[in-house]
Amino acid sequence: MTTQQNQIVRFQDSVTHADIELSIAEIKRTICPTATDVEAHMFLELCRHQGLNPFTRDVYLVKYSG
């Protein structure tokens, strides 16, 4: 799977209807620095499809070792 870290995905928060802009690079920089590109992409798609806003704590990306 090839991902584009700087590709920005825009969607609306399902509760507040605020406009959300996320990129894989931003997810890795601010939400979960240890996430792989694929994990960050899957998280981004989850947020977009369900209208979840990670900045208001609707959803979390947590990476466990092991």
Side-chain angles (χ1 to χ4, degrees), residues 1-34:
M1 169 187 265
T2 303
T3 58
Q4 295 178 1
Q5 281 200 2
N6 295 324
Q7 178 185 8
I8 295 175
V9 173
R10 293 174 178 84
F11 60 96
Q12 279 195 334
D13 180 306
S14 64
V15 176
T16 66
H17 304 292
D19 292 326
I20 308 298
E21 293 186 359
L22 285 175
S23 70
I24 291 172
E26 185 175 19
I27 290 168
K28 290 175 70 173
R29 186 178 72 252
T30 61
I31 297 170
C32 187
T34 59

Side-chain angles (χ1 to χ4, degrees), residues 28-63:
K28 290 175 70 173
R29 186 178 72 252
T30 61
I31 297 170
C32 187
T34 59
T36 66
D37 285 356
V38 172
E39 291 165 338
H41 177 76
M42 301 260 311
F43 179 76
L44 186 145
E45 290 301 317
L46 172 74
C47 292
R48 183 171 65 90
H49 283 286
Q50 294 190 6
L52 301 173
N53 184 345
F55 301 114
T56 59
R57 300 186 178 141
D58 290 339
V59 63
Y60 295 90
L61 175 59
V62 178
K63 174 111 179 193

